[in-house]
Amino acid sequence: QTVQRCVGDALDPEQFQHRYCVGGVDLSQSTDLTSACVVIESKGELYVLQHFWMPQARVDIGTEDDNVPYRQMIQKGFLSVSGDNYVDYNDVFMWFRNLVEKYEILPLQVGYDKWCATYFVEQMRQYGFHMDDVYQGENLTPVIHEMDGLLRDKTLLLGDNNLLKAHFLNVGMKQNEETRKIRPVKIDPRCHIDGFVAVIDALTVRQKWYDQIGDQLKNTE
């Protein structure tokens, strides 16, 4: 019942205590946004808990450059200030750790792109997370098609995280005319799609490992 009430509201970790899930992370390569998420299955629906980080020096500049009210996103709890000029990836690690230790939300696999900082991946692994490298290319075609179906069926739920929704709207698909495979691209070079990429990373490891962990991910107990 609690889960059903959160469909149109902010998705709160307390609503998903004691559940298994998969995670995804997209670390900023420069001074921009970093994003992490977990995708939690409940009664056949997938709920996305997502968080963003931005360095202090970028908040006001980014608000003007990106035309996004980042301070409003901070107030709503979707975005945290991290570091001065660069995101402190330890904050991302602590977000995942907090899910486990405070809420007993257990990511069984966490997808990340190959540009992730080596020390962050090692920190996550030392804690006990199973980390899986997700190549960002046309290999994502099956996952993108699955995501498209989930969105059309309204079984992939983003809550009211408007920053995440904006990142989904910033994504276009580039198709290889020969293979018909697709890969995600920004509709404009200035756009951010970090939140979308984090979700794709999570859904990729979910699809890849489903034979092994699918029964746990269903959270039917």
Side-chain angles (χ1 to χ4, degrees), residues 69-89:
Y70 286 122
R71 293 206 175 275
Q72 186 181 81
M73 298 301 164
I74 293 170
Q75 293 173 355
K76 287 181 175 292
F78 303 140
L79 172 67
S80 294
V81 173
S82 173
D84 294 324
N85 295 293
Y86 299 91
V87 170
D88 182 352
Y89 295 151

Side-chain angles (χ1 to χ4, degrees), residues 37-130:
C37 74
V38 289
V39 178
I40 305 171
E41 184 172 348
S42 181
K43 298 180 180 178
E45 295 179 316
L46 300 178
Y47 296 83
V48 179
L49 293 181
Q50 189 103 8
H51 199 72
F52 294 87
W53 293 264
M54 175 177 275
Q56 179 67 55
R58 283 291 303 169
V59 175
D60 291 330
I61 297 172
T63 296
E64 183 174 344
D65 290 349
D66 304 342
N67 195 29
V68 176
Y70 286 122
R71 293 206 175 275
Q72 186 181 81
M73 298 301 164
I74 293 170
Q75 293 173 355
K76 287 181 175 292
F78 303 140
L79 172 67
S80 294
V81 173
S82 173
D84 294 324
N85 295 293
Y86 299 91
V87 170
D88 182 352
Y89 295 151
N90 187 62
D91 291 340
V92 185
F93 165 70
M94 290 304 299
W95 183 79
F96 279 106
R97 180 174 175 174
N98 191 53
L99 288 177
V100 174
E101 296 183 3
K102 185 175 181 179
Y103 301 105
E104 295 184 28
I105 295 175
L106 307 175
L108 300 180
Q109 291 284 343
V110 179
Y112 67 97
D113 70 82
K114 65 178 181 179
W115 299 110
C116 270
T118 303
Y119 73 87
F120 167 77
V121 175
E122 185 58 31
Q123 186 180 29
M124 292 283 283
R125 283 182 172 142
Q126 286 183 0
Y127 182 80
F129 290 111
H130 294 274

Side-chain angles (χ1 to χ4, degrees), residues 1 12 18 35 80 85 102 117 134-135 139 142 173 177 199:
Q1 297 299 320
D12 192 316
H18 317 298
S35 181
S80 294
N85 295 293
K102 185 175 181 179
V134 177
Y135 180 73
N139 60 297
M173 295 298 160
E177 294 302 324
V199 175

